[in-house]
Amino acid sequence: MARDSASVPVSPALALGVAILAVSTSAILIRWSDAPSAVKAFYRVLFTLAMVAPFALWHADARADFGALSRRDLLGAGVAGAALAVHFGAWFESLEWTSVAASVTLVQAQPVFVAIGAFLLLDERVTGRTVAGILVALVGMALMASADLLGGSSVGARPLYGNALAVFAALMTAVYVLAGRSLRRRIALLPYVTVVYATCAIALFAFVAARGYPLWPYPPREWALFLAMAAGPGIFGHTVINWALAHVESSVVSVSLLAEPVGSTLLALALLAEVPGPLTALGGGVVLLGIYVTARG
């Protein structure tokens, strides 16, 4: 069993609440930055790794946990990190083309793909409620896509393209979850996230270099946003969620994450004056309902 599940110094429910608030700011910080999407993603992961790695390398228990990692564990964490890199690349780019409400809602559809992947790859049982939730979520996605096809979306230069990227990012999140689900039951948090974030950062750096995007110079405002992405959504968001998975049922975590699209949409309304179209709002509500039913199933 993972070492971090031996004692619970803080309330998992409180930690999960803080994490939801933190991840809700992610889309806003991404929108405020003018750097290329892949560069934003790279620095977010790199700075998150820089904040996590010292604790993993200096803490005696964490070093012992590193030594206990098998090649299979490292491979699994590496696959999870590569999937996370593709997720970040696709989702950050998605926010360049569609509304915050649509992008954040669709990227949260990962429980749908996790359920499908678990059934196809892990031979897990799928209940009737899970199937119903998947179908409802797909209907919601179709409604959100129709907002662009019917001219009902007023937000984003290419909403259909941005929505497709968000769905693909959700699919990559499902790969990340499926690759790491069994690992987190026996690997402590710090070694796991360090390997995952390191692999993710290397993959994103390779993509940035291949595309020829500049890694510097950027004005102080951009560096502040990169750090905020790492400290807020990175450390207090996803890292805390990874910790919570050792103490709270995964279905509870998945359902709790449905609050992120609501929080992000409200922040986009207040800070970006971004109002989603009626079909986007309706489709988003249907998607969230489908995710809820899927997670509960």
Side-chain angles (χ1 to χ4, degrees):
M1 181 178 292
R3 187 187 300 274
D4 55 288
S5 64
S7 61
V8 185
V10 298
S11 165
L14 176 61
L16 192 56
V18 171
I20 299 305
L21 290 175
V23 296
S24 296
T25 66
S26 184
I28 308 303
L29 295 171
I30 294 168
R31 276 290 190 83
W32 278 345
S33 173
D34 296 324
S37 298
V39 173
K40 302 176 198 179
F42 168 68
Y43 277 122
R44 166 176 166 167
V45 177
L46 181 67
F47 289 160
T48 302
L49 175 63
M51 295 174 188
V52 168
F55 294 96
L57 297 176
W58 294 341
H59 197 279
D61 289 341
R63 290 200 301 271
D65 290 328
F66 264 115
L69 293 178
S70 66
R71 289 184 179 179
R72 182 179 179 182
D73 292 337
L74 290 172
L75 178 61
V79 170
L84 187 62
V86 179
H87 157 79
F88 277 133
W91 183 52
F92 277 47
E93 184 68 16
S94 167
L95 286 163
E96 300 287 336
W97 302 101
T98 190
S99 67
V100 168
S103 181
V104 177
T105 300
L106 290 172
V107 83
Q108 280 299 330
Q110 54 91 5
V112 172
F113 297 111
V114 168
I116 295 173
F119 172 72
L120 295 176
L121 302 176
L122 304 180
D123 198 28
E124 291 188 3
R125 183 175 63 91
V126 176
T127 66
R129 177 180 290 184
T130 300
V131 174
I134 292 172
L135 293 176
V136 171
L138 291 175
V139 169
M141 292 180 191
L143 284 172
M144 297 184 81
S146 68
D148 181 45
L149 295 175
L150 299 177
S153 176
S154 58
V155 180
R158 295 175 60 189
L160 188 60
Y161 175 64
N163 292 349
L165 284 174
V167 172
F168 180 66
L171 176 61
M172 289 297 101
T173 307
V175 176
Y176 164 67
V177 170
L178 290 171
R181 184 158 64 179
S182 62
L183 292 176
R184 275 296 292 128
R185 292 174 180 170
R186 63 179 186 273
I187 299 177
L189 174 65
L190 284 177
Y192 174 73
V193 297
T194 300
V195 175
V196 167
Y197 292 161
T199 306
C200 183
I202 292 170
L204 286 169
F205 174 78
F207 180 77
V208 169
R211 296 298 299 269
Y213 294 135
L215 288 173
W216 64 79
Y218 288 102
R221 176 179 180 274
E222 291 295 329
W223 294 109
L225 287 171
F226 297 155
L227 285 170
M229 292 177 201
I235 296 297
F236 289 101
H238 288 285
T239 301
V240 172
I241 289 170
N242 269 304
W243 174 85
L245 283 170
H247 309 286
V248 183
E249 291 183 5
S250 58
S251 61
V252 175
V253 175
S254 294
V255 172
S256 299
L257 286 171
L258 297 184
E260 180 188 352
V262 178
S264 295
T265 299
L266 292 176
L267 287 174
L269 179 63
L271 301 176
L272 303 176
E274 188 175 287
V275 182
L279 276 179
T280 298
L282 175 61
V286 175
V287 170
L288 292 178
L289 174 61
I291 297 170
Y292 172 81
V293 174
T294 300
R296 295 297 297 173

